[in-house]
Amino acid sequence: MIKNSIYKLFLPVVLLVFINAQIIELNNKKVTILKDEVVIEVRGLVCSFCAVGLQGGLSSLHNVDKEKYNNGVLVDIEHHFAVIAEISGKDINIDEALTMITKSGYEVFTVYTNRSGEKIDVRNFEVNKN
Amino acid sequence: MDMAPRWSGGYGFQIRYESYGSDLTVNAKDINASFFHKTYFLEGVYTWDRSARITLKLPYQIIEKRDSDILSKNNSFGDLIIAVPLKKYNNYKSYTQNIGVTPQVKIPLDEKMTNVTGPFSGGVSLSYSSESFSFYQLYDIFSWFYNYKDPLLGLDINLGIHPYHDNATNKGLFVIWDATCRWENSYTIIQTGPAFMLYNQNIMMRAELKLPAIETGGKNKLSKGVYMNIGLGFVF
């Protein structure tokens, strides 16, 4: 009985998330690109202590949903990417995010967005894939 | 690690305690003398952009000497050390590296210590470090030039692994093997031992303990003994 209620309550929510999400493989990790998130692959993003600067910079952008992750930003140094959570229906300025990453001492490899919830847009940047 | 803060306008400070000293000579003989040196450092860093930063180290030192029955204790500010690390970073897919050149000067603050350390000293270091998610390495060769004694040449090597990291909280641990070599005219020391670095967001703590693996000098030269270093740092 209780189990059925849980299914009824959570199944629509789970389905809604996956309808608005696409999955990619990023440096050997499956990453879900949600409609209101931007995923940025960053070159050389391995230094844990340095990730703090990147996190702080990206959190300060407009329209970041600071309720999610660490002030709106998740930095994965093992797989070299950052996820920025956006306030629902409001986009961050991606060019500002790229400038912030450069000021933080890194370079951007690829930007993934899923604005429609159905298709991932990919922006690649000219860097060596060493 | 040594790369933070690498973001433009980043700054930080660290409080650090370091101690070494012994009552035995480099040949482990007891000559009824001792030398113990404890230093508290206040250190600061400011990063203009990732290629240029400035660091300051202000030491307060406590030196205890004993020669036969004569004891002496000296508490004073040591030399202020100002350095300008210039770094060239290269970011690759799964690792980052930098080469650095660091000019540095020591400025005596206490007249008592001017007689010991001389009025002015200058130095330069050349370094290379690289870091991946799992591994860290640093090589730093440096020299100090004094106007009252022969120069000092040094080499620091850090090789570390990264056994724990949590992306969600940015907490983790590095375990490092640390080796330090110093060559002076009549004295050589190679110290080695483990270092542990814990971090939690923008706070870092490093603790290290090193023993002299090789130490040579005059027959009455006192050993530096066990070297201990504990630091707590913050970056913003």
Side-chain angles (χ1 to χ4, degrees):
Chain A
M1 182 72 178
I2 294 170
K3 207 174 174 182
N4 276 345
S5 303
I6 290 171
Y7 281 136
K8 278 178 190 171
L9 190 66
F10 285 102
L11 195 59
V13 176
V14 170
L15 284 173
L16 192 66
V17 166
F18 279 96
I19 284 167
N20 285 317
Q22 305 283 318
I23 296 171
I24 57 160
E25 188 164 310
L26 197 49
N27 299 320
N28 303 319
K29 184 178 182 179
K30 292 210 182 319
V31 180
T32 304
I33 317 277
L34 297 172
K35 190 169 180 287
D36 293 317
E37 288 187 350
V38 176
V39 175
I40 304 177
E41 188 183 5
V42 181
R43 278 214 301 170
L45 183 56
V46 292
C47 165
S48 47
F49 214 39
C50 305
V52 173
L54 185 72
Q55 204 165 53
L58 293 175
S59 292
S60 68
L61 296 171
H62 288 297
N63 298 331
V64 172
D65 184 354
K66 294 188 179 177
E67 300 298 313
K68 284 189 180 173
Y69 305 127
N70 257 329
N71 269 330
V73 178
L74 174 74
V75 176
D76 185 328
I77 61 167
E78 188 174 0
H79 302 95
H80 328 303
F81 67 87
V83 181
I84 308 169
E86 296 171 315
I87 294 170
S88 184
K90 293 183 177 177
D91 296 343
I92 62 158
N93 183 327
I94 289 178
D95 288 335
E96 278 181 17
L98 303 190
T99 304
M100 194 59 78
I101 289 168
T102 307
K103 277 187 176 177
S104 300
Y106 296 96
E107 290 102 36
V108 173
F109 222 17
T110 315
V111 178
Y112 301 90
T113 51
N114 181 16
R115 300 288 191 216
S116 65
E118 293 168 358
K119 180 177 166 286
I120 295 172
D121 288 314
V122 182
R123 276 173 71 184
N124 283 307
F125 293 82
E126 288 293 317
V127 287
N128 294 326
K129 274 218 167 195
N130 304 48
Chain B
M1 299 297 288
D2 69 303
M3 302 179 188
R6 67 194 281 173
W7 50 94
S8 304
Y11 62 96
F13 68 90
Q14 177 170 235
I15 44 175
R16 193 160 66 80
Y17 170 77
E18 154 186 298
S19 81
Y20 58 85
S22 172
D23 53 9
L24 296 174
T25 68
V26 292
N27 301 314
K29 286 182 182 161
D30 186 348
I31 55 167
N32 196 22
S34 64
F35 178 84
F36 290 94
H37 194 149
K38 299 168 187 169
T39 313
Y40 297 90
F41 286 93
L42 178 62
E43 302 176 341
V45 58
Y46 179 79
T47 303
W48 281 283
D49 67 52
R50 65 181 175 177
S51 62
R53 60 187 75 181
I54 186 167
T55 65
L56 289 102
K57 294 182 186 179
L58 176 63
Y60 184 79
Q61 53 196 15
I62 300 162
I63 299 169
E64 290 175 4
K65 280 184 193 174
R66 184 171 60 84
D67 194 351
S68 298
D69 294 329
I70 302 166
L71 290 166
S72 67
K73 190 171 178 180
N74 181 11
N75 297 9
S76 66
F77 282 104
D79 297 349
L80 175 69
I81 302 170
I82 302 174
V84 182
L86 305 169
K87 290 173 185 270
K88 167 70 179 160
Y89 282 91
N90 285 303
N91 292 317
Y92 297 92
K93 188 176 171 74
S94 58
Y95 71 101
T96 184
Q97 66 179 15
N98 74 74
I99 52 171
V101 178
T102 305
Q104 47 200 345
V105 291
K106 286 184 182 180
I107 302 166
L109 300 178
D110 192 310
E111 261 184 32
K112 280 184 289 184
M113 294 311 294
T114 307
N115 297 329
V116 179
T117 61
F120 175 83
S121 323
V124 67
S125 94
L126 299 171
S127 67
Y128 168 82
S129 80
S130 81
E131 186 172 349
S132 66
F133 176 70
S134 318
F135 183 66
Y136 169 75
Q137 57 185 325
L138 163 75
Y139 308 92
D140 184 13
I141 186 162
F142 59 91
S143 188
W144 280 101
F145 303 94
Y146 308 97
N147 57 1
Y148 69 103
K149 66 172 188 178
D150 290 328
L152 176 149
L153 184 66
L155 172 67
D156 284 344
I157 299 173
N158 278 199
L159 299 172
I161 55 169
H162 194 189
Y164 171 68
H165 173 78
D166 180 10
N167 283 318
T169 56
N170 202 34
K171 284 181 192 171
L173 168 72
F174 273 96
V175 180
I176 298 161
W177 175 75
D178 189 326
T180 301
C181 316
R182 301 277 185 276
W183 294 276
E184 289 176 80
N185 187 29
S186 55
Y187 178 67
T188 298
I189 185 169
I190 299 176
Q191 296 164 299
T192 186
F196 300 91
M197 198 195 100
L198 282 161
Y199 57 88
N200 181 357
Q201 292 286 9
N202 65 329
I203 304 168
M204 178 272 288
M205 195 193 86
R206 180 173 169 134
E208 58 186 87
L209 195 69
K210 286 187 281 194
L211 300 171
I214 295 172
E215 196 173 20
T216 59
K219 64 177 184 180
N220 287 337
K221 174 79 175 172
L222 284 167
S223 169
K224 288 205 170 172
V226 176
Y227 172 89
M228 190 177 75
N229 178 41
I230 299 173
L232 182 67
F234 305 82
V235 291
F236 304 94

